[in-house]
């Protein structure tokens, strides 16, 4: 990548698939950013760029890349596959371009060394932030490869839900539980089941995830 191409990317500003870091932060923070991108739609992290888009570069890019890769290896499970490239921005100053593809091994979790499957916390991107994934988001990621053949009974709660969505457009787990007078656990299970059947779409949100009609 050329410096001109880098400047074009930076001009877009941080967003759902682009994150700026002046330097590699502590292991937990950088691993969380990588995980969130992998669990969402993939993206890039530019190390050596301020939050305001100022391209500062790094005079110790080799050391910073080592710290980055060590954090990903130690703190992500399954380990997230990343690619790195250095862009020269000034004499002896580089920006590290970290490319994180959308993963086919979702969900990835932030873990401590020694943790395994089922441990740790999953993250997703919402706008320009990496936030903890809801239980519904995790379940949808876990079942992404087995969503065919979902069956369910379309009862009173589901009918209430569809009428509500026709009128108001979106609903949270808590709102559905109150609407249908059911437990939050039952409301969550129903909304996820309908999402797996491609009738609803789950939207991650900073405050609380919500569901909309998928058609």
């Amino acid at each position: 990548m050329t410096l001109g191409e880098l400047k074009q990317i930076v001009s877009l500003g941080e967003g759902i698939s682009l994150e700026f870091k002046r330097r590699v932060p502590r292991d937990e923070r950088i691993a969380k950013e990588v995980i969130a991108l992998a669990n969402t739609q993939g993206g890039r992290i530019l190390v050596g760029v301020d939050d305001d888009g100022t391209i500062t570069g790094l005079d110790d890019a080799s050391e910073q890349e080592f710290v980055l890769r060590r954090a990903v290896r130690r703190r992500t499970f399954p380990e997230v596959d990343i690619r790195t490239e250095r862009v020269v921005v000034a004499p002896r100053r580089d920006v590290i371009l970290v490319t994180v593809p959308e993963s086919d091994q979702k969900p990835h979790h932030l873990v401590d060394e020694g943790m395994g499957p089922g441990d740790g916390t999953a993250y997703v991107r919402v706008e320009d932030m990496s936030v903890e994934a809801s239980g519904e988001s995790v379940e949808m990621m876990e079942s992404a490869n087995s969503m065919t053949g979902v069956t369910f009974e379309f009862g009173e709660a589901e009918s209430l839900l569809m009428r509500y969505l026709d009128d108001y457009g979106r609903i949270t787990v808590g709102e559905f539980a109150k609407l249908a007078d059911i437990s939050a656990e039952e409301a969550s299970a129903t909304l996820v089941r309908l999402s797996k059947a491609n009738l609803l779409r789950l939207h991650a949100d900073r405050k609380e995830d919500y569901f909309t009609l998928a058609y």
Side-chain angles (χ1 to χ4, degrees):
M1 177 178 290
T2 67
L3 177 56
E5 291 170 333
L6 175 68
K7 288 179 177 178
Q8 286 185 323
I9 293 174
V10 171
S11 69
L12 299 174
E14 291 184 302
I16 192 168
S17 60
L18 185 61
E19 178 76 19
F20 299 157
K21 296 293 182 189
R22 183 180 180 87
R23 295 180 63 80
V24 176
R26 65 181 187 274
D27 285 3
E28 178 180 347
R29 285 189 58 197
I30 192 62
K32 182 176 77 171
E33 305 288 6
V34 168
I35 287 166
L37 289 169
N39 281 342
T40 310
Q41 62 185 38
R44 292 166 167 170
I45 302 171
L46 299 178
V47 184
V49 179
D50 280 344
D51 288 343
D52 63 2
T54 301
I55 300 174
T56 57
L58 303 163
D59 61 5
D60 58 347
S62 294
E63 179 182 335
Q64 289 288 289
E65 187 172 350
F66 172 80
V67 171
L68 166 70
R69 288 189 172 277
R70 182 184 62 188
V72 172
R73 184 176 66 253
R74 290 179 173 179
R75 303 301 302 272
T76 69
F77 188 88
E79 183 178 337
V80 177
D81 179 36
I82 64 171
R83 299 191 299 271
T84 58
E85 176 184 351
R86 295 188 204 172
V87 183
V88 178
V89 298
R92 299 183 180 179
R93 296 196 76 85
D94 299 342
V95 164
I96 302 174
L97 167 63
V98 185
T99 301
V100 184
E102 182 176 357
S103 178
D104 58 3
Q105 299 184 67
K106 303 176 185 179
H108 295 269
H109 292 79
L110 177 68
V111 297
D112 291 323
E113 286 190 87
M115 286 184 175
D119 296 321
T121 303
Y123 292 88
V124 294
R125 290 290 284 187
V126 177
E127 298 174 357
D128 61 349
M129 296 182 64
S130 298
V131 302
E132 185 173 339
S134 67
E136 292 76 29
S137 288
V138 170
E139 186 173 348
M140 289 294 292
M141 285 187 276
E142 288 174 341
S143 60
N145 296 322
S146 59
M147 288 190 181
T148 58
V150 177
T151 60
F152 57 89
E153 292 184 8
F154 209 82
E156 182 180 353
E158 290 80 4
S159 297
L160 283 170
L161 171 65
M162 292 304 178
R163 289 198 296 271
Y164 184 94
L165 288 173
D166 279 337
D167 290 338
Y168 299 102
R170 56 189 283 177
I171 197 167
T172 66
V173 170
E175 289 168 343
F176 180 42
K178 184 176 181 180
L179 174 73
D181 193 22
I182 56 179
S183 69
E185 291 76 14
E186 186 177 351
S188 173
T190 299
L191 291 168
V192 168
R193 189 164 60 249
L194 292 173
S195 298
K196 291 180 181 179
N198 295 318
L199 294 176
L200 301 183
R201 180 170 292 118
L202 170 61
H203 303 266
D205 189 76
R206 296 183 186 185
K207 295 182 179 179
E208 186 176 4
D209 289 2
Y210 61 92
F211 295 78
T212 64
L213 292 171
Y215 50 87

mmCIF file of all heavy atoms in Angstrom, residues 62-99:
data_model
loop_
_atom_site.group_PDB
_atom_site.id
_atom_site.type_symbol
_atom_site.label_atom_id
_atom_site.label_comp_id
_atom_site.label_asym_id
_atom_site.label_seq_id
_atom_site.Cartn_x
_atom_site.Cartn_y
_atom_site.Cartn_z
ATOM 1 N N SER A 62 8.700 -2.762 14.202
ATOM 2 C CA SER A 62 8.978 -4.194 14.397
ATOM 3 C C SER A 62 8.559 -4.644 15.790
ATOM 4 O O SER A 62 7.917 -5.689 15.967
ATOM 5 C CB SER A 62 10.464 -4.483 14.185
ATOM 6 O OG SER A 62 10.834 -4.255 12.843
ATOM 7 N N GLU A 63 8.906 -3.852 16.794
ATOM 8 C CA GLU A 63 8.536 -4.185 18.173
ATOM 9 C C GLU A 63 7.021 -4.149 18.355
ATOM 10 O O GLU A 63 6.446 -5.030 19.004
ATOM 11 C CB GLU A 63 9.206 -3.215 19.133
ATOM 12 C CG GLU A 63 8.863 -3.467 20.598
ATOM 13 C CD GLU A 63 9.506 -2.451 21.521
ATOM 14 O OE1 GLU A 63 10.551 -1.872 21.130
ATOM 15 O OE2 GLU A 63 8.973 -2.243 22.615
ATOM 16 N N GLN A 64 6.381 -3.139 17.791
ATOM 17 C CA GLN A 64 4.928 -3.012 17.911
ATOM 18 C C GLN A 64 4.203 -4.163 17.216
ATOM 19 O O GLN A 64 3.208 -4.672 17.717
ATOM 20 C CB GLN A 64 4.477 -1.678 17.323
ATOM 21 C CG GLN A 64 4.864 -0.470 18.149
ATOM 22 C CD GLN A 64 4.053 -0.378 19.428
ATOM 23 O OE1 GLN A 64 2.865 -0.091 19.409
ATOM 24 N NE2 GLN A 64 4.698 -0.626 20.558
ATOM 25 N N GLU A 65 4.705 -4.593 16.072
ATOM 26 C CA GLU A 65 4.092 -5.721 15.376
ATOM 27 C C GLU A 65 4.242 -7.003 16.183
ATOM 28 O O GLU A 65 3.321 -7.823 16.252
ATOM 29 C CB GLU A 65 4.718 -5.886 13.992
ATOM 30 C CG GLU A 65 4.015 -6.932 13.143
ATOM 31 C CD GLU A 65 4.517 -6.955 11.717
ATOM 32 O OE1 GLU A 65 5.272 -6.034 11.314
ATOM 33 O OE2 GLU A 65 4.147 -7.905 10.990
ATOM 34 N N PHE A 66 5.382 -7.173 16.839
ATOM 35 C CA PHE A 66 5.589 -8.337 17.698
ATOM 36 C C PHE A 66 4.579 -8.341 18.846
ATOM 37 O O PHE A 66 3.966 -9.372 19.157
ATOM 38 C CB PHE A 66 7.013 -8.341 18.255
ATOM 39 C CG PHE A 66 7.252 -9.393 19.299
ATOM 40 C CD1 PHE A 66 7.486 -10.713 18.935
ATOM 41 C CD2 PHE A 66 7.221 -9.072 20.654
ATOM 42 C CE1 PHE A 66 7.701 -11.689 19.909
ATOM 43 C CE2 PHE A 66 7.423 -10.037 21.623
ATOM 44 C CZ PHE A 66 7.670 -11.346 21.251
ATOM 45 N N VAL A 67 4.398 -7.187 19.491
ATOM 46 C CA VAL A 67 3.453 -7.072 20.606
ATOM 47 C C VAL A 67 2.029 -7.379 20.130
ATOM 48 O O VAL A 67 1.263 -8.076 20.821
ATOM 49 C CB VAL A 67 3.529 -5.657 21.219
ATOM 50 C CG1 VAL A 67 2.401 -5.440 22.224
ATOM 51 C CG2 VAL A 67 4.876 -5.433 21.878
ATOM 52 N N LEU A 68 1.681 -6.881 18.960
ATOM 53 C CA LEU A 68 0.356 -7.113 18.395
ATOM 54 C C LEU A 68 0.110 -8.603 18.159
ATOM 55 O O LEU A 68 -0.913 -9.157 18.598
ATOM 56 C CB LEU A 68 0.235 -6.345 17.080
ATOM 57 C CG LEU A 68 -0.945 -6.703 16.174
ATOM 58 C CD1 LEU A 68 -2.249 -6.230 16.787
ATOM 59 C CD2 LEU A 68 -0.750 -6.097 14.792
ATOM 60 N N ARG A 69 1.029 -9.246 17.488
ATOM 61 C CA ARG A 69 0.839 -10.663 17.161
ATOM 62 C C ARG A 69 0.833 -11.530 18.416
ATOM 63 O O ARG A 69 0.081 -12.510 18.506
ATOM 64 C CB ARG A 69 1.912 -11.123 16.183
ATOM 65 C CG ARG A 69 1.715 -10.556 14.778
ATOM 66 C CD ARG A 69 2.645 -11.188 13.764
ATOM 67 N NE ARG A 69 2.311 -10.776 12.417
ATOM 68 C CZ ARG A 69 1.366 -11.315 11.664
ATOM 69 N NH1 ARG A 69 0.641 -12.329 12.152
ATOM 70 N NH2 ARG A 69 1.122 -10.884 10.450
ATOM 71 N N ARG A 70 1.649 -11.166 19.396
ATOM 72 C CA ARG A 70 1.657 -11.915 20.651
ATOM 73 C C ARG A 70 0.311 -11.788 21.355
ATOM 74 O O ARG A 70 -0.222 -12.773 21.891
ATOM 75 C CB ARG A 70 2.774 -11.389 21.549
ATOM 76 C CG ARG A 70 2.908 -12.145 22.876
ATOM 77 C CD ARG A 70 3.963 -11.497 23.758
ATOM 78 N NE ARG A 70 3.581 -10.122 24.103
ATOM 79 C CZ ARG A 70 4.385 -9.273 24.724
ATOM 80 N NH1 ARG A 70 5.626 -9.627 25.049
ATOM 81 N NH2 ARG A 70 3.971 -8.052 25.014
ATOM 82 N N ALA A 71 -0.275 -10.588 21.344
ATOM 83 C CA ALA A 71 -1.575 -10.381 21.985
ATOM 84 C C ALA A 71 -2.656 -11.202 21.303
ATOM 85 O O ALA A 71 -3.504 -11.819 21.970
ATOM 86 C CB ALA A 71 -1.945 -8.898 21.945
ATOM 87 N N VAL A 72 -2.647 -11.231 19.981
ATOM 88 C CA VAL A 72 -3.646 -12.005 19.243
ATOM 89 C C VAL A 72 -3.474 -13.494 19.527
ATOM 90 O O VAL A 72 -4.460 -14.223 19.727
ATOM 91 C CB VAL A 72 -3.538 -11.722 17.729
ATOM 92 C CG1 VAL A 72 -4.437 -12.668 16.935
ATOM 93 C CG2 VAL A 72 -3.895 -10.267 17.433
ATOM 94 N N ARG A 73 -2.252 -13.935 19.578
ATOM 95 C CA ARG A 73 -1.989 -15.359 19.832
ATOM 96 C C ARG A 73 -2.416 -15.770 21.239
ATOM 97 O O ARG A 73 -3.002 -16.842 21.441
ATOM 98 C CB ARG A 73 -0.502 -15.641 19.635
ATOM 99 C CG ARG A 73 -0.116 -17.109 19.768
ATOM 100 C CD ARG A 73 1.357 -17.344 19.467
ATOM 101 N NE ARG A 73 2.238 -16.718 20.441
ATOM 102 C CZ ARG A 73 2.965 -15.636 20.212
ATOM 103 N NH1 ARG A 73 2.924 -15.039 19.024
ATOM 104 N NH2 ARG A 73 3.756 -15.130 21.157
ATOM 105 N N ARG A 74 -2.163 -14.899 22.216
ATOM 106 C CA ARG A 74 -2.429 -15.247 23.614
ATOM 107 C C ARG A 74 -3.864 -15.000 24.046
ATOM 108 O O ARG A 74 -4.374 -15.704 24.920
ATOM 109 C CB ARG A 74 -1.505 -14.439 24.532
ATOM 110 C CG ARG A 74 -0.040 -14.825 24.476
ATOM 111 C CD ARG A 74 0.764 -13.931 25.423
ATOM 112 N NE ARG A 74 2.153 -14.358 25.546
ATOM 113 C CZ ARG A 74 3.059 -13.734 26.288
ATOM 114 N NH1 ARG A 74 2.705 -12.658 26.995
ATOM 115 N NH2 ARG A 74 4.291 -14.162 26.345
ATOM 116 N N ARG A 75 -4.511 -13.991 23.463
ATOM 117 C CA ARG A 75 -5.770 -13.513 24.048
ATOM 118 C C ARG A 75 -6.998 -13.732 23.176
ATOM 119 O O ARG A 75 -8.093 -13.316 23.560
ATOM 120 C CB ARG A 75 -5.655 -12.022 24.386
ATOM 121 C CG ARG A 75 -4.516 -11.654 25.328
ATOM 122 C CD ARG A 75 -4.606 -12.353 26.682
ATOM 123 N NE ARG A 75 -5.834 -12.079 27.373
ATOM 124 C CZ ARG A 75 -6.044 -11.053 28.188
ATOM 125 N NH1 ARG A 75 -5.067 -10.180 28.407
ATOM 126 N NH2 ARG A 75 -7.188 -10.895 28.809
ATOM 127 N N THR A 76 -6.869 -14.356 21.997
ATOM 128 C CA THR A 76 -8.050 -14.620 21.174
ATOM 129 C C THR A 76 -8.255 -16.120 21.038
ATOM 130 O O THR A 76 -7.298 -16.871 20.861
ATOM 131 C CB THR A 76 -7.934 -13.988 19.772
ATOM 132 O OG1 THR A 76 -6.927 -14.670 18.993
ATOM 133 C CG2 THR A 76 -7.571 -12.521 19.865
ATOM 134 N N PHE A 77 -9.516 -16.559 21.143
ATOM 135 C CA PHE A 77 -9.827 -17.977 20.968
ATOM 136 C C PHE A 77 -11.174 -18.119 20.270
ATOM 137 O O PHE A 77 -12.160 -17.553 20.724
ATOM 138 C CB PHE A 77 -9.870 -18.721 22.305
ATOM 139 C CG PHE A 77 -9.987 -20.215 22.108
ATOM 140 C CD1 PHE A 77 -8.860 -20.992 21.969
ATOM 141 C CD2 PHE A 77 -11.234 -20.804 22.006
ATOM 142 C CE1 PHE A 77 -8.970 -22.364 21.751
ATOM 143 C CE2 PHE A 77 -11.356 -22.163 21.779
ATOM 144 C CZ PHE A 77 -10.209 -22.946 21.655
ATOM 145 N N PRO A 78 -11.245 -18.905 19.180
ATOM 146 C CA PRO A 78 -10.103 -19.415 18.438
ATOM 147 C C PRO A 78 -9.198 -18.262 17.989
ATOM 148 O O PRO A 78 -9.680 -17.143 17.805
ATOM 149 C CB PRO A 78 -10.738 -20.116 17.233
ATOM 150 C CG PRO A 78 -12.176 -20.320 17.587
ATOM 151 C CD PRO A 78 -12.541 -19.211 18.515
ATOM 152 N N GLU A 79 -7.929 -18.540 17.791
ATOM 153 C CA GLU A 79 -7.004 -17.476 17.403
ATOM 154 C C GLU A 79 -7.446 -16.839 16.096
ATOM 155 O O GLU A 79 -7.755 -17.526 15.121
ATOM 156 C CB GLU A 79 -5.590 -18.029 17.249
ATOM 157 C CG GLU A 79 -4.560 -16.962 16.916
ATOM 158 C CD GLU A 79 -3.148 -17.503 16.812
ATOM 159 O OE1 GLU A 79 -2.868 -18.575 17.394
ATOM 160 O OE2 GLU A 79 -2.315 -16.851 16.137
ATOM 161 N N VAL A 80 -7.519 -15.511 16.090
ATOM 162 C CA VAL A 80 -7.962 -14.778 14.902
ATOM 163 C C VAL A 80 -6.805 -14.683 13.903
ATOM 164 O O VAL A 80 -5.673 -14.383 14.262
ATOM 165 C CB VAL A 80 -8.446 -13.363 15.272
ATOM 166 C CG1 VAL A 80 -8.835 -12.590 14.005
ATOM 167 C CG2 VAL A 80 -9.633 -13.437 16.222
ATOM 168 N N ASP A 81 -7.127 -14.939 12.647
ATOM 169 C CA ASP A 81 -6.137 -14.844 11.578
ATOM 170 C C ASP A 81 -6.031 -13.383 11.135
ATOM 171 O O ASP A 81 -7.037 -12.786 10.734
ATOM 172 C CB ASP A 81 -6.566 -15.727 10.402
ATOM 173 C CG ASP A 81 -5.595 -15.655 9.236
ATOM 174 O OD1 ASP A 81 -4.381 -15.542 9.479
ATOM 175 O OD2 ASP A 81 -6.060 -15.709 8.080
ATOM 176 N N ILE A 82 -4.860 -12.807 11.229
ATOM 177 C CA ILE A 82 -4.655 -11.422 10.806
ATOM 178 C C ILE A 82 -3.524 -11.351 9.788
ATOM 179 O O ILE A 82 -2.674 -12.238 9.718
ATOM 180 C CB ILE A 82 -4.332 -10.486 11.991
ATOM 181 C CG1 ILE A 82 -3.003 -10.885 12.658
ATOM 182 C CG2 ILE A 82 -5.475 -10.469 13.002
ATOM 183 C CD1 ILE A 82 -2.507 -9.888 13.682
ATOM 184 N N ARG A 83 -3.528 -10.279 9.003
ATOM 185 C CA ARG A 83 -2.428 -10.000 8.086
ATOM 186 C C ARG A 83 -1.909 -8.603 8.393
ATOM 187 O O ARG A 83 -2.701 -7.699 8.711
ATOM 188 C CB ARG A 83 -2.889 -10.071 6.631
ATOM 189 C CG ARG A 83 -3.419 -11.435 6.221
ATOM 190 C CD ARG A 83 -3.612 -11.531 4.716
ATOM 191 N NE ARG A 83 -4.572 -10.545 4.239
ATOM 192 C CZ ARG A 83 -5.882 -10.752 4.155
ATOM 193 N NH1 ARG A 83 -6.389 -11.909 4.550
ATOM 194 N NH2 ARG A 83 -6.691 -9.818 3.696
ATOM 195 N N THR A 84 -0.609 -8.407 8.316
ATOM 196 C CA THR A 84 -0.024 -7.100 8.597
ATOM 197 C C THR A 84 0.829 -6.633 7.425
ATOM 198 O O THR A 84 1.401 -7.444 6.694
ATOM 199 C CB THR A 84 0.842 -7.120 9.872
ATOM 200 O OG1 THR A 84 1.885 -8.092 9.723
ATOM 201 C CG2 THR A 84 0.001 -7.453 11.095
ATOM 202 N N GLU A 85 0.871 -5.327 7.271
ATOM 203 C CA GLU A 85 1.677 -4.697 6.220
ATOM 204 C C GLU A 85 2.171 -3.364 6.766
ATOM 205 O O GLU A 85 1.439 -2.673 7.481
ATOM 206 C CB GLU A 85 0.817 -4.474 4.974
ATOM 207 C CG GLU A 85 1.522 -3.748 3.839
ATOM 208 C CD GLU A 85 0.592 -3.465 2.668
ATOM 209 O OE1 GLU A 85 -0.543 -3.982 2.672
ATOM 210 O OE2 GLU A 85 1.002 -2.717 1.768
ATOM 211 N N ARG A 86 3.381 -3.009 6.438
ATOM 212 C CA ARG A 86 3.923 -1.730 6.890
ATOM 213 C C ARG A 86 3.908 -0.724 5.740
ATOM 214 O O ARG A 86 4.269 -1.052 4.612
ATOM 215 C CB ARG A 86 5.345 -1.881 7.416
ATOM 216 C CG ARG A 86 5.425 -2.737 8.662
ATOM 217 C CD ARG A 86 6.825 -2.692 9.239
ATOM 218 N NE ARG A 86 7.089 -3.888 10.045
ATOM 219 C CZ ARG A 86 8.268 -4.195 10.544
ATOM 220 N NH1 ARG A 86 9.306 -3.398 10.333
ATOM 221 N NH2 ARG A 86 8.429 -5.292 11.241
ATOM 222 N N VAL A 87 3.487 0.496 6.075
ATOM 223 C CA VAL A 87 3.452 1.582 5.103
ATOM 224 C C VAL A 87 4.414 2.664 5.591
ATOM 225 O O VAL A 87 4.248 3.195 6.697
ATOM 226 C CB VAL A 87 2.028 2.158 4.955
ATOM 227 C CG1 VAL A 87 2.008 3.246 3.881
ATOM 228 C CG2 VAL A 87 1.028 1.051 4.617
ATOM 229 N N VAL A 88 5.405 2.995 4.782
ATOM 230 C CA VAL A 88 6.366 4.031 5.141
ATOM 231 C C VAL A 88 5.698 5.401 5.010
ATOM 232 O O VAL A 88 5.168 5.746 3.948
ATOM 233 C CB VAL A 88 7.612 3.971 4.242
ATOM 234 C CG1 VAL A 88 8.589 5.090 4.602
ATOM 235 C CG2 VAL A 88 8.299 2.614 4.363
ATOM 236 N N VAL A 89 5.706 6.173 6.096
ATOM 237 C CA VAL A 89 5.060 7.485 6.084
ATOM 238 C C VAL A 89 6.056 8.623 6.249
ATOM 239 O O VAL A 89 5.732 9.791 6.018
ATOM 240 C CB VAL A 89 3.961 7.575 7.170
ATOM 241 C CG1 VAL A 89 2.864 6.552 6.900
ATOM 242 C CG2 VAL A 89 4.547 7.378 8.563
ATOM 243 N N ALA A 90 7.270 8.300 6.664
ATOM 244 C CA ALA A 90 8.352 9.279 6.834
ATOM 245 C C ALA A 90 9.629 8.475 7.041
ATOM 246 O O ALA A 90 9.564 7.267 7.310
ATOM 247 C CB ALA A 90 8.089 10.204 8.029
ATOM 248 N N PRO A 91 10.787 9.096 6.911
ATOM 249 C CA PRO A 91 12.027 8.355 7.165
ATOM 250 C C PRO A 91 12.009 7.684 8.539
ATOM 251 O O PRO A 91 11.784 8.338 9.558
ATOM 252 C CB PRO A 91 13.103 9.440 7.081
ATOM 253 C CG PRO A 91 12.521 10.460 6.152
ATOM 254 C CD PRO A 91 11.053 10.481 6.475
ATOM 255 N N ARG A 92 12.175 6.373 8.543
ATOM 256 C CA ARG A 92 12.204 5.564 9.763
ATOM 257 C C ARG A 92 10.907 5.615 10.562
ATOM 258 O O ARG A 92 10.894 5.387 11.774
ATOM 259 C CB ARG A 92 13.382 5.979 10.662
ATOM 260 C CG ARG A 92 14.740 5.788 10.007
ATOM 261 C CD ARG A 92 15.862 6.150 10.953
ATOM 262 N NE ARG A 92 17.159 5.958 10.305
ATOM 263 C CZ ARG A 92 18.329 6.211 10.881
ATOM 264 N NH1 ARG A 92 18.357 6.684 12.127
ATOM 265 N NH2 ARG A 92 19.456 6.029 10.240
ATOM 266 N N ARG A 93 9.812 5.889 9.903
ATOM 267 C CA ARG A 93 8.501 5.862 10.568
ATOM 268 C C ARG A 93 7.509 5.140 9.669
ATOM 269 O O ARG A 93 7.332 5.514 8.506
ATOM 270 C CB ARG A 93 7.995 7.276 10.901
ATOM 271 C CG ARG A 93 8.869 8.021 11.890
ATOM 272 C CD ARG A 93 8.148 9.217 12.481
ATOM 273 N NE ARG A 93 7.170 8.821 13.487
ATOM 274 C CZ ARG A 93 7.457 8.610 14.766
ATOM 275 N NH1 ARG A 93 8.691 8.725 15.200
ATOM 276 N NH2 ARG A 93 6.517 8.281 15.628
ATOM 277 N N ASP A 94 6.868 4.116 10.239
ATOM 278 C CA ASP A 94 5.905 3.299 9.502
ATOM 279 C C ASP A 94 4.555 3.278 10.208
ATOM 280 O O ASP A 94 4.474 3.431 11.429
ATOM 281 C CB ASP A 94 6.386 1.848 9.401
ATOM 282 C CG ASP A 94 7.704 1.700 8.663
ATOM 283 O OD1 ASP A 94 8.086 2.640 7.945
ATOM 284 O OD2 ASP A 94 8.346 0.645 8.821
ATOM 285 N N VAL A 95 3.515 3.046 9.430
ATOM 286 C CA VAL A 95 2.200 2.686 9.957
ATOM 287 C C VAL A 95 2.007 1.196 9.706
ATOM 288 O O VAL A 95 2.349 0.690 8.637
ATOM 289 C CB VAL A 95 1.076 3.492 9.271
ATOM 290 C CG1 VAL A 95 -0.293 2.856 9.533
ATOM 291 C CG2 VAL A 95 1.069 4.930 9.770
ATOM 292 N N ILE A 96 1.487 0.499 10.716
ATOM 293 C CA ILE A 96 1.178 -0.922 10.551
ATOM 294 C C ILE A 96 -0.289 -1.051 10.147
ATOM 295 O O ILE A 96 -1.186 -0.624 10.890
ATOM 296 C CB ILE A 96 1.430 -1.717 11.842
ATOM 297 C CG1 ILE A 96 2.882 -1.571 12.297
ATOM 298 C CG2 ILE A 96 1.100 -3.198 11.629
ATOM 299 C CD1 ILE A 96 3.168 -2.209 13.650
ATOM 300 N N LEU A 97 -0.520 -1.616 8.975
ATOM 301 C CA LEU A 97 -1.875 -1.885 8.504
ATOM 302 C C LEU A 97 -2.221 -3.317 8.888
ATOM 303 O O LEU A 97 -1.582 -4.265 8.425
ATOM 304 C CB LEU A 97 -1.953 -1.701 6.987
ATOM 305 C CG LEU A 97 -3.201 -2.228 6.285
ATOM 306 C CD1 LEU A 97 -4.445 -1.503 6.762
ATOM 307 C CD2 LEU A 97 -3.045 -2.107 4.772
ATOM 308 N N VAL A 98 -3.208 -3.471 9.758
ATOM 309 C CA VAL A 98 -3.637 -4.792 10.219
ATOM 310 C C VAL A 98 -4.971 -5.116 9.545
ATOM 311 O O VAL A 98 -5.958 -4.402 9.745
ATOM 312 C CB VAL A 98 -3.807 -4.830 11.754
ATOM 313 C CG1 VAL A 98 -4.134 -6.245 12.216
ATOM 314 C CG2 VAL A 98 -2.560 -4.299 12.451
ATOM 315 N N THR A 99 -4.994 -6.155 8.748
ATOM 316 C CA THR A 99 -6.224 -6.584 8.083
ATOM 317 C C THR A 99 -6.806 -7.774 8.828
ATOM 318 O O THR A 99 -6.107 -8.775 9.050
ATOM 319 C CB THR A 99 -5.965 -6.968 6.620
ATOM 320 O OG1 THR A 99 -5.413 -5.840 5.928
ATOM 321 C CG2 THR A 99 -7.257 -7.392 5.929
#
